[in-house]
Amino acid sequence: MERYPDIEIYLAEASLDVLDQWLTERLEAPSLSRVGKRKWRTVGYYDGQTVPILLIEQAADGFTSLWFDSHSTPWPRDIDCAREIVERFGCEVRCSLGSWQPGDDPDRFLQLLPSGEEREIDWPDSGQ
C-alpha cells in the first residue's frame, strides 16, 4: 500500500481537549500549544520518528485542519486517518481523494459521514 508523505484531514467538529487526548494516545504527543490565532502545534512520535502536528481551527468552511507533517504515522493514507476519526468521534471528516499530483483537481475531496457513507465532493465550492 502506498504511504503518503503527509496526512491532512478536515474535521467538522473538533474539541481541542478530545483531539489532544487522542493525539497523546495515538502518537505520544504532548498537549497542543497555541502558536497563533486558531493555530496549535505539537510533536508526536511513531515508530521511532517525530511527527510534527499542526491544527488550524476554522481552516475552511468551518472545518478544522489537522496536518501530520510526516510519512511516519499510524496511517498510510489520509483516508485511513479520516476513517479512524469518524469511527472514534462520530463527526464528519473530509480528506483528499489520494496523493495529490500536478494536474489533479485540488477541489475534489472525499466526505466521510458518521453514518458510514463516503462520497466524492467538490469542496469548498460545492456548498456541502
Side-chain angles (χ1 to χ4, degrees), residues 1-2 12-13 23 25-26 40 47 51 53 56 71-72 81 91 93 97 102 104-105 107 109 119 127:
M1 176 182 299
E2 178 185 8
E13 300 170 22
L23 291 170
E25 291 171 13
R26 292 298 275 141
W40 304 80
D47 201 23
V51 181
I53 302 165
I56 302 174
H71 68 279
S72 184
C81 181
C91 68
V93 178
L97 294 174
D104 287 353
D105 183 350
D107 293 335
F109 281 80
R119 62 183 176 160

Side-chain angles (χ1 to χ4, degrees), residues 73-87:
T73 68
W75 318 279
R77 305 166 301 165
D78 296 24
I79 192 170
D80 301 310
C81 181
R83 285 177 175 149
E84 182 175 323
I85 293 282
V86 169
E87 183 176 317

